[in-house]
Amino acid sequence: EDLSKAYRLVHDIFLQTGFLKHETSGLRMRHFEASSETATFIAEKNGSVVGVLSVVSDSPDLGLPSDVAFKPELDTLRARGLRLCELTNQAVAEEYRKSAVPTELMRCAVAHGMLSGFDEGVAAVSPSQDGC
């Protein structure tokens, strides 16, 4: 239920910023979100999801979300034998964007990456996502 609420928040915020088109499910669900190798961190306030951030583990089968735009650069890192992850789905409800929520979500994601043994974490940021 928490993941459903989280991916609904991502959908709604990314829709508002024009980053994606409306999905009939109302959720931002890609094959990365369905992977057991993806860790999703959720911030809640009074039972409502107010923030989310996911860490996607690189794999030979799925790769990373940023392969769409940065595959040559990511392949260079992979060729060096680095274990990669990508921080994605960062979405925070507007009223919590200037609170500790974004920082704490990032701290959780970075701690997870370190404990999981990733060598590098990457993130792609779209200018259209200002404040998200």
mmCIF file of all heavy atoms in Angstrom, residues 62-106:
data_model
loop_
_atom_site.group_PDB
_atom_site.id
_atom_site.type_symbol
_atom_site.label_atom_id
_atom_site.label_comp_id
_atom_site.label_asym_id
_atom_site.label_seq_id
_atom_site.Cartn_x
_atom_site.Cartn_y
_atom_site.Cartn_z
ATOM 1 N N LEU A 62 18.381 -5.371 -17.052
ATOM 2 C CA LEU A 62 17.575 -4.150 -17.058
ATOM 3 C C LEU A 62 18.386 -2.878 -17.237
ATOM 4 O O LEU A 62 17.855 -1.871 -17.678
ATOM 5 C CB LEU A 62 16.762 -4.045 -15.765
ATOM 6 C CG LEU A 62 15.777 -5.163 -15.465
ATOM 7 C CD1 LEU A 62 15.090 -4.920 -14.128
ATOM 8 C CD2 LEU A 62 14.750 -5.290 -16.583
ATOM 9 N N GLY A 63 19.644 -2.910 -16.863
ATOM 10 C CA GLY A 63 20.440 -1.693 -16.904
ATOM 11 C C GLY A 63 19.937 -0.689 -15.884
ATOM 12 O O GLY A 63 19.459 -1.060 -14.813
ATOM 13 N N LEU A 64 20.035 0.578 -16.232
ATOM 14 C CA LEU A 64 19.572 1.673 -15.376
ATOM 15 C C LEU A 64 18.610 2.561 -16.167
ATOM 16 O O LEU A 64 18.687 2.628 -17.395
ATOM 17 C CB LEU A 64 20.762 2.521 -14.908
ATOM 18 C CG LEU A 64 21.727 1.866 -13.927
ATOM 19 C CD1 LEU A 64 22.956 2.744 -13.720
ATOM 20 C CD2 LEU A 64 21.034 1.579 -12.594
ATOM 21 N N PRO A 65 17.728 3.281 -15.477
ATOM 22 C CA PRO A 65 16.818 4.180 -16.191
ATOM 23 C C PRO A 65 17.547 5.175 -17.099
ATOM 24 O O PRO A 65 17.089 5.470 -18.197
ATOM 25 C CB PRO A 65 16.064 4.898 -15.065
ATOM 26 C CG PRO A 65 16.097 3.937 -13.924
ATOM 27 C CD PRO A 65 17.430 3.243 -14.030
ATOM 28 N N SER A 66 18.698 5.664 -16.662
ATOM 29 C CA SER A 66 19.430 6.671 -17.437
ATOM 30 C C SER A 66 20.124 6.118 -18.668
ATOM 31 O O SER A 66 20.690 6.890 -19.449
ATOM 32 C CB SER A 66 20.466 7.381 -16.554
ATOM 33 O OG SER A 66 19.810 8.248 -15.664
ATOM 34 N N ASP A 67 20.100 4.803 -18.869
ATOM 35 C CA ASP A 67 20.673 4.245 -20.092
ATOM 36 C C ASP A 67 20.012 4.836 -21.332
ATOM 37 O O ASP A 67 20.647 4.920 -22.388
ATOM 38 C CB ASP A 67 20.536 2.714 -20.114
ATOM 39 C CG ASP A 67 21.625 2.019 -19.318
ATOM 40 O OD1 ASP A 67 22.775 2.507 -19.323
ATOM 41 O OD2 ASP A 67 21.324 0.989 -18.696
ATOM 42 N N VAL A 68 18.774 5.245 -21.202
ATOM 43 C CA VAL A 68 18.055 5.833 -22.346
ATOM 44 C C VAL A 68 18.811 7.046 -22.895
ATOM 45 O O VAL A 68 18.923 7.219 -24.104
ATOM 46 C CB VAL A 68 16.614 6.240 -21.931
ATOM 47 C CG1 VAL A 68 15.929 7.038 -23.012
ATOM 48 C CG2 VAL A 68 15.813 5.016 -21.570
ATOM 49 N N ALA A 69 19.363 7.862 -22.010
ATOM 50 C CA ALA A 69 20.032 9.086 -22.439
ATOM 51 C C ALA A 69 21.557 9.029 -22.307
ATOM 52 O O ALA A 69 22.251 9.741 -23.029
ATOM 53 C CB ALA A 69 19.508 10.276 -21.626
ATOM 54 N N PHE A 70 22.070 8.204 -21.399
ATOM 55 C CA PHE A 70 23.496 8.243 -21.074
ATOM 56 C C PHE A 70 24.187 6.885 -21.142
ATOM 57 O O PHE A 70 25.150 6.637 -20.426
ATOM 58 C CB PHE A 70 23.688 8.840 -19.671
ATOM 59 C CG PHE A 70 23.138 10.222 -19.525
ATOM 60 C CD1 PHE A 70 21.959 10.442 -18.832
ATOM 61 C CD2 PHE A 70 23.789 11.309 -20.099
ATOM 62 C CE1 PHE A 70 21.441 11.728 -18.699
ATOM 63 C CE2 PHE A 70 23.272 12.585 -19.975
ATOM 64 C CZ PHE A 70 22.103 12.797 -19.271
ATOM 65 N N LYS A 71 23.709 5.998 -22.001
ATOM 66 C CA LYS A 71 24.281 4.648 -22.059
ATOM 67 C C LYS A 71 25.784 4.643 -22.326
ATOM 68 O O LYS A 71 26.519 3.922 -21.658
ATOM 69 C CB LYS A 71 23.542 3.783 -23.074
ATOM 70 C CG LYS A 71 24.012 2.326 -23.028
ATOM 71 C CD LYS A 71 23.037 1.397 -23.670
ATOM 72 C CE LYS A 71 23.442 -0.041 -23.702
ATOM 73 N NZ LYS A 71 24.305 -0.545 -22.689
ATOM 74 N N PRO A 72 26.298 5.422 -23.279
ATOM 75 C CA PRO A 72 27.753 5.391 -23.507
ATOM 76 C C PRO A 72 28.560 5.773 -22.251
ATOM 77 O O PRO A 72 29.559 5.134 -21.935
ATOM 78 C CB PRO A 72 27.971 6.405 -24.636
ATOM 79 C CG PRO A 72 26.652 6.479 -25.331
ATOM 80 C CD PRO A 72 25.619 6.272 -24.258
ATOM 81 N N GLU A 73 28.102 6.787 -21.551
ATOM 82 C CA GLU A 73 28.800 7.211 -20.331
ATOM 83 C C GLU A 73 28.709 6.148 -19.238
ATOM 84 O O GLU A 73 29.701 5.861 -18.558
ATOM 85 C CB GLU A 73 28.215 8.539 -19.820
ATOM 86 C CG GLU A 73 28.466 9.715 -20.741
ATOM 87 C CD GLU A 73 27.441 9.873 -21.866
ATOM 88 O OE1 GLU A 73 26.575 9.000 -22.041
ATOM 89 O OE2 GLU A 73 27.521 10.882 -22.580
ATOM 90 N N LEU A 74 27.533 5.547 -19.088
ATOM 91 C CA LEU A 74 27.359 4.499 -18.079
ATOM 92 C C LEU A 74 28.150 3.251 -18.459
ATOM 93 O O LEU A 74 28.736 2.593 -17.581
ATOM 94 C CB LEU A 74 25.880 4.191 -17.894
ATOM 95 C CG LEU A 74 25.063 5.342 -17.280
ATOM 96 C CD1 LEU A 74 23.571 5.033 -17.349
ATOM 97 C CD2 LEU A 74 25.497 5.625 -15.859
ATOM 98 N N ASP A 75 28.186 2.932 -19.743
ATOM 99 C CA ASP A 75 28.971 1.780 -20.179
ATOM 100 C C ASP A 75 30.460 1.978 -19.905
ATOM 101 O O ASP A 75 31.179 1.014 -19.614
ATOM 102 C CB ASP A 75 28.735 1.495 -21.660
ATOM 103 C CG ASP A 75 27.409 0.784 -21.919
ATOM 104 O OD1 ASP A 75 26.798 0.273 -20.947
ATOM 105 O OD2 ASP A 75 26.989 0.739 -23.089
ATOM 106 N N THR A 76 30.934 3.207 -19.974
ATOM 107 C CA THR A 76 32.333 3.494 -19.638
ATOM 108 C C THR A 76 32.600 3.168 -18.173
ATOM 109 O O THR A 76 33.633 2.566 -17.846
ATOM 110 C CB THR A 76 32.660 4.980 -19.934
ATOM 111 O OG1 THR A 76 32.468 5.225 -21.326
ATOM 112 C CG2 THR A 76 34.080 5.319 -19.539
ATOM 113 N N LEU A 77 31.681 3.527 -17.310
ATOM 114 C CA LEU A 77 31.831 3.202 -15.886
ATOM 115 C C LEU A 77 31.751 1.690 -15.665
ATOM 116 O O LEU A 77 32.531 1.122 -14.886
ATOM 117 C CB LEU A 77 30.757 3.919 -15.066
ATOM 118 C CG LEU A 77 30.820 5.445 -15.068
ATOM 119 C CD1 LEU A 77 29.605 6.034 -14.346
ATOM 120 C CD2 LEU A 77 32.110 5.923 -14.416
ATOM 121 N N ARG A 78 30.824 1.055 -16.358
ATOM 122 C CA ARG A 78 30.689 -0.400 -16.234
ATOM 123 C C ARG A 78 31.963 -1.111 -16.698
ATOM 124 O O ARG A 78 32.395 -2.089 -16.089
ATOM 125 C CB ARG A 78 29.485 -0.880 -17.047
ATOM 126 C CG ARG A 78 28.142 -0.444 -16.501
ATOM 127 C CD ARG A 78 27.002 -0.872 -17.426
ATOM 128 N NE ARG A 78 25.721 -0.469 -16.908
ATOM 129 C CZ ARG A 78 24.888 0.377 -17.534
ATOM 130 N NH1 ARG A 78 25.189 0.881 -18.729
ATOM 131 N NH2 ARG A 78 23.741 0.699 -16.979
ATOM 132 N N ALA A 79 32.569 -0.613 -17.776
ATOM 133 C CA ALA A 79 33.780 -1.226 -18.321
ATOM 134 C C ALA A 79 34.942 -1.144 -17.331
ATOM 135 O O ALA A 79 35.857 -1.973 -17.376
ATOM 136 C CB ALA A 79 34.162 -0.563 -19.648
ATOM 137 N N ARG A 80 34.879 -0.184 -16.433
ATOM 138 C CA ARG A 80 35.902 -0.054 -15.389
ATOM 139 C C ARG A 80 35.624 -1.001 -14.225
ATOM 140 O O ARG A 80 36.349 -1.010 -13.243
ATOM 141 C CB ARG A 80 35.955 1.390 -14.893
ATOM 142 C CG ARG A 80 36.481 2.342 -15.952
ATOM 143 C CD ARG A 80 36.504 3.806 -15.537
ATOM 144 N NE ARG A 80 36.861 4.046 -14.157
ATOM 145 C CZ ARG A 80 36.442 5.103 -13.456
ATOM 146 N NH1 ARG A 80 35.654 6.004 -14.035
ATOM 147 N NH2 ARG A 80 36.803 5.267 -12.216
ATOM 148 N N GLY A 81 34.545 -1.787 -14.342
ATOM 149 C CA GLY A 81 34.220 -2.752 -13.294
ATOM 150 C C GLY A 81 33.474 -2.167 -12.114
ATOM 151 O O GLY A 81 33.375 -2.798 -11.068
ATOM 152 N N LEU A 82 32.925 -0.973 -12.288
ATOM 153 C CA LEU A 82 32.215 -0.318 -11.184
ATOM 154 C C LEU A 82 30.798 -0.854 -11.056
ATOM 155 O O LEU A 82 30.115 -1.095 -12.051
ATOM 156 C CB LEU A 82 32.174 1.192 -11.409
ATOM 157 C CG LEU A 82 33.535 1.888 -11.449
ATOM 158 C CD1 LEU A 82 33.365 3.366 -11.766
ATOM 159 C CD2 LEU A 82 34.276 1.704 -10.131
ATOM 160 N N ARG A 83 30.375 -1.020 -9.839
ATOM 161 C CA ARG A 83 28.999 -1.429 -9.544
ATOM 162 C C ARG A 83 28.166 -0.160 -9.396
ATOM 163 O O ARG A 83 28.438 0.659 -8.510
ATOM 164 C CB ARG A 83 28.962 -2.262 -8.264
ATOM 165 C CG ARG A 83 27.612 -2.857 -8.003
ATOM 166 C CD ARG A 83 27.688 -4.024 -7.024
ATOM 167 N NE ARG A 83 26.339 -4.508 -6.806
ATOM 168 C CZ ARG A 83 25.717 -4.460 -5.635
ATOM 169 N NH1 ARG A 83 26.328 -4.008 -4.570
ATOM 170 N NH2 ARG A 83 24.479 -4.904 -5.532
ATOM 171 N N LEU A 84 27.154 -0.007 -10.253
ATOM 172 C CA LEU A 84 26.386 1.233 -10.331
ATOM 173 C C LEU A 84 24.983 1.101 -9.746
ATOM 174 O O LEU A 84 24.388 0.027 -9.764
ATOM 175 C CB LEU A 84 26.242 1.672 -11.792
ATOM 176 C CG LEU A 84 27.512 1.803 -12.620
ATOM 177 C CD1 LEU A 84 27.165 2.179 -14.052
ATOM 178 C CD2 LEU A 84 28.457 2.810 -12.006
ATOM 179 N N CYS A 85 24.485 2.234 -9.294
ATOM 180 C CA CYS A 85 23.063 2.346 -8.940
ATOM 181 C C CYS A 85 22.602 3.720 -9.398
ATOM 182 O O CYS A 85 23.408 4.603 -9.688
ATOM 183 C CB CYS A 85 22.829 2.163 -7.439
ATOM 184 S SG CYS A 85 23.476 3.480 -6.390
ATOM 185 N N GLU A 86 21.289 3.866 -9.507
ATOM 186 C CA GLU A 86 20.724 5.159 -9.901
ATOM 187 C C GLU A 86 19.676 5.593 -8.898
ATOM 188 O O GLU A 86 18.802 4.819 -8.513
ATOM 189 C CB GLU A 86 20.095 5.083 -11.290
ATOM 190 C CG GLU A 86 19.527 6.416 -11.741
ATOM 191 C CD GLU A 86 19.132 6.462 -13.190
ATOM 192 O OE1 GLU A 86 19.584 5.598 -13.972
ATOM 193 O OE2 GLU A 86 18.359 7.370 -13.557
ATOM 194 N N LEU A 87 19.772 6.856 -8.487
ATOM 195 C CA LEU A 87 18.759 7.460 -7.633
ATOM 196 C C LEU A 87 17.719 8.066 -8.557
ATOM 197 O O LEU A 87 18.049 8.866 -9.441
ATOM 198 C CB LEU A 87 19.372 8.526 -6.734
ATOM 199 C CG LEU A 87 20.167 7.973 -5.540
ATOM 200 C CD1 LEU A 87 21.415 7.240 -5.971
ATOM 201 C CD2 LEU A 87 20.486 9.067 -4.566
ATOM 202 N N THR A 88 16.472 7.652 -8.383
ATOM 203 C CA THR A 88 15.408 8.049 -9.292
ATOM 204 C C THR A 88 14.102 8.204 -8.518
ATOM 205 O O THR A 88 14.028 7.883 -7.337
ATOM 206 C CB THR A 88 15.275 7.013 -10.439
ATOM 207 O OG1 THR A 88 14.329 7.496 -11.399
ATOM 208 C CG2 THR A 88 14.862 5.661 -9.938
ATOM 209 N N ASN A 89 13.088 8.665 -9.182
ATOM 210 C CA ASN A 89 11.749 8.827 -8.594
ATOM 211 C C ASN A 89 11.714 9.821 -7.443
ATOM 212 O O ASN A 89 10.836 9.741 -6.588
ATOM 213 C CB ASN A 89 11.183 7.490 -8.090
ATOM 214 C CG ASN A 89 10.768 6.574 -9.191
ATOM 215 O OD1 ASN A 89 10.424 7.020 -10.282
ATOM 216 N ND2 ASN A 89 10.810 5.288 -8.928
ATOM 217 N N GLN A 90 12.637 10.758 -7.398
ATOM 218 C CA GLN A 90 12.590 11.701 -6.292
ATOM 219 C C GLN A 90 11.393 12.628 -6.474
ATOM 220 O O GLN A 90 11.288 13.352 -7.460
ATOM 221 C CB GLN A 90 13.857 12.530 -6.179
ATOM 222 C CG GLN A 90 13.818 13.432 -4.954
ATOM 223 C CD GLN A 90 15.121 14.155 -4.711
ATOM 224 O OE1 GLN A 90 15.967 14.245 -5.572
ATOM 225 N NE2 GLN A 90 15.266 14.676 -3.512
ATOM 226 N N ALA A 91 10.502 12.551 -5.525
ATOM 227 C CA ALA A 91 9.308 13.403 -5.549
ATOM 228 C C ALA A 91 8.946 13.750 -4.116
ATOM 229 O O ALA A 91 8.889 12.870 -3.253
ATOM 230 C CB ALA A 91 8.146 12.686 -6.226
ATOM 231 N N VAL A 92 8.707 15.009 -3.867
ATOM 232 C CA VAL A 92 8.326 15.481 -2.536
ATOM 233 C C VAL A 92 7.134 16.421 -2.702
ATOM 234 O O VAL A 92 7.158 17.314 -3.550
ATOM 235 C CB VAL A 92 9.499 16.209 -1.838
ATOM 236 C CG1 VAL A 92 9.082 16.768 -0.498
ATOM 237 C CG2 VAL A 92 10.698 15.266 -1.678
ATOM 238 N N ALA A 93 6.107 16.186 -1.891
ATOM 239 C CA ALA A 93 4.930 17.055 -1.934
ATOM 240 C C ALA A 93 5.362 18.504 -1.700
ATOM 241 O O ALA A 93 6.259 18.774 -0.896
ATOM 242 C CB ALA A 93 3.920 16.616 -0.872
ATOM 243 N N GLU A 94 4.740 19.411 -2.421
ATOM 244 C CA GLU A 94 5.170 20.812 -2.418
ATOM 245 C C GLU A 94 5.348 21.396 -1.021
ATOM 246 O O GLU A 94 6.333 22.085 -0.744
ATOM 247 C CB GLU A 94 4.179 21.660 -3.221
ATOM 248 C CG GLU A 94 4.669 23.070 -3.423
ATOM 249 C CD GLU A 94 3.830 23.849 -4.415
ATOM 250 O OE1 GLU A 94 2.887 23.279 -4.996
ATOM 251 O OE2 GLU A 94 4.130 25.028 -4.607
ATOM 252 N N GLU A 95 4.439 21.101 -0.131
ATOM 253 C CA GLU A 95 4.518 21.707 1.203
ATOM 254 C C GLU A 95 5.662 21.161 2.065
ATOM 255 O O GLU A 95 5.951 21.693 3.132
ATOM 256 C CB GLU A 95 3.177 21.563 1.949
ATOM 257 C CG GLU A 95 2.725 20.137 2.146
ATOM 258 C CD GLU A 95 1.873 19.598 1.004
ATOM 259 O OE1 GLU A 95 1.993 20.056 -0.145
ATOM 260 O OE2 GLU A 95 1.092 18.675 1.278
ATOM 261 N N TYR A 96 6.367 20.138 1.582
ATOM 262 C CA TYR A 96 7.492 19.552 2.326
ATOM 263 C C TYR A 96 8.822 19.740 1.621
ATOM 264 O O TYR A 96 9.856 19.244 2.087
ATOM 265 C CB TYR A 96 7.241 18.061 2.572
ATOM 266 C CG TYR A 96 6.080 17.846 3.498
ATOM 267 C CD1 TYR A 96 4.799 17.626 2.995
ATOM 268 C CD2 TYR A 96 6.236 17.905 4.878
ATOM 269 C CE1 TYR A 96 3.719 17.457 3.838
ATOM 270 C CE2 TYR A 96 5.163 17.742 5.731
ATOM 271 C CZ TYR A 96 3.904 17.514 5.197
ATOM 272 O OH TYR A 96 2.835 17.363 6.043
ATOM 273 N N ARG A 97 8.849 20.462 0.525
ATOM 274 C CA ARG A 97 10.083 20.603 -0.250
ATOM 275 C C ARG A 97 11.152 21.427 0.465
ATOM 276 O O ARG A 97 12.331 21.250 0.209
ATOM 277 C CB ARG A 97 9.788 21.201 -1.623
ATOM 278 C CG ARG A 97 9.037 20.227 -2.484
ATOM 279 C CD ARG A 97 8.757 20.733 -3.853
ATOM 280 N NE ARG A 97 7.862 19.788 -4.530
ATOM 281 C CZ ARG A 97 7.111 20.079 -5.541
ATOM 282 N NH1 ARG A 97 7.139 21.303 -6.055
ATOM 283 N NH2 ARG A 97 6.318 19.167 -6.069
ATOM 284 N N LYS A 98 10.755 22.308 1.352
ATOM 285 C CA LYS A 98 11.724 23.121 2.090
ATOM 286 C C LYS A 98 11.875 22.623 3.527
ATOM 287 O O LYS A 98 12.317 23.350 4.394
ATOM 288 C CB LYS A 98 11.314 24.592 2.052
ATOM 289 C CG LYS A 98 11.418 25.166 0.650
ATOM 290 C CD LYS A 98 11.128 26.629 0.594
ATOM 291 C CE LYS A 98 11.253 27.107 -0.840
ATOM 292 N NZ LYS A 98 10.963 28.518 -0.968
ATOM 293 N N SER A 99 11.536 21.370 3.731
ATOM 294 C CA SER A 99 11.692 20.751 5.046
ATOM 295 C C SER A 99 12.882 19.797 5.003
ATOM 296 O O SER A 99 13.637 19.771 4.025
ATOM 297 C CB SER A 99 10.412 19.975 5.411
ATOM 298 O OG SER A 99 10.318 18.789 4.638
ATOM 299 N N ALA A 100 13.025 18.986 6.019
ATOM 300 C CA ALA A 100 14.104 18.000 6.073
ATOM 301 C C ALA A 100 13.809 16.774 5.210
ATOM 302 O O ALA A 100 14.687 15.926 5.028
ATOM 303 C CB ALA A 100 14.335 17.577 7.520
ATOM 304 N N VAL A 101 12.609 16.665 4.670
ATOM 305 C CA VAL A 101 12.214 15.460 3.925
ATOM 306 C C VAL A 101 13.156 15.150 2.756
ATOM 307 O O VAL A 101 13.665 14.031 2.668
ATOM 308 C CB VAL A 101 10.738 15.542 3.464
ATOM 309 C CG1 VAL A 101 10.402 14.438 2.476
ATOM 310 C CG2 VAL A 101 9.812 15.472 4.672
ATOM 311 N N PRO A 102 13.442 16.099 1.848
ATOM 312 C CA PRO A 102 14.337 15.748 0.737
ATOM 313 C C PRO A 102 15.724 15.307 1.211
ATOM 314 O O PRO A 102 16.285 14.335 0.692
ATOM 315 C CB PRO A 102 14.419 17.035 -0.095
ATOM 316 C CG PRO A 102 13.198 17.808 0.261
ATOM 317 C CD PRO A 102 12.907 17.464 1.699
ATOM 318 N N THR A 103 16.261 15.988 2.198
ATOM 319 C CA THR A 103 17.587 15.642 2.717
ATOM 320 C C THR A 103 17.589 14.262 3.355
ATOM 321 O O THR A 103 18.498 13.458 3.131
ATOM 322 C CB THR A 103 18.055 16.690 3.743
ATOM 323 O OG1 THR A 103 18.086 17.968 3.099
ATOM 324 C CG2 THR A 103 19.430 16.362 4.288
ATOM 325 N N GLU A 104 16.576 13.956 4.142
ATOM 326 C CA GLU A 104 16.524 12.659 4.814
ATOM 327 C C GLU A 104 16.321 11.516 3.824
ATOM 328 O O GLU A 104 16.895 10.445 3.991
ATOM 329 C CB GLU A 104 15.446 12.650 5.897
ATOM 330 C CG GLU A 104 15.791 13.534 7.084
ATOM 331 C CD GLU A 104 17.135 13.197 7.708
ATOM 332 O OE1 GLU A 104 17.425 12.002 7.955
ATOM 333 O OE2 GLU A 104 17.923 14.127 7.947
ATOM 334 N N LEU A 105 15.531 11.738 2.799
ATOM 335 C CA LEU A 105 15.383 10.717 1.764
ATOM 336 C C LEU A 105 16.723 10.461 1.081
ATOM 337 O O LEU A 105 17.104 9.306 0.839
ATOM 338 C CB LEU A 105 14.333 11.139 0.727
ATOM 339 C CG LEU A 105 12.878 11.070 1.176
ATOM 340 C CD1 LEU A 105 11.981 11.772 0.167
ATOM 341 C CD2 LEU A 105 12.443 9.623 1.389
ATOM 342 N N MET A 106 17.463 11.527 0.779
ATOM 343 C CA MET A 106 18.769 11.377 0.145
ATOM 344 C C MET A 106 19.742 10.661 1.075
ATOM 345 O O MET A 106 20.516 9.799 0.642
ATOM 346 C CB MET A 106 19.315 12.742 -0.270
ATOM 347 C CG MET A 106 20.559 12.666 -1.121
ATOM 348 S SD MET A 106 20.332 11.814 -2.703
ATOM 349 C CE MET A 106 19.296 12.964 -3.575
#
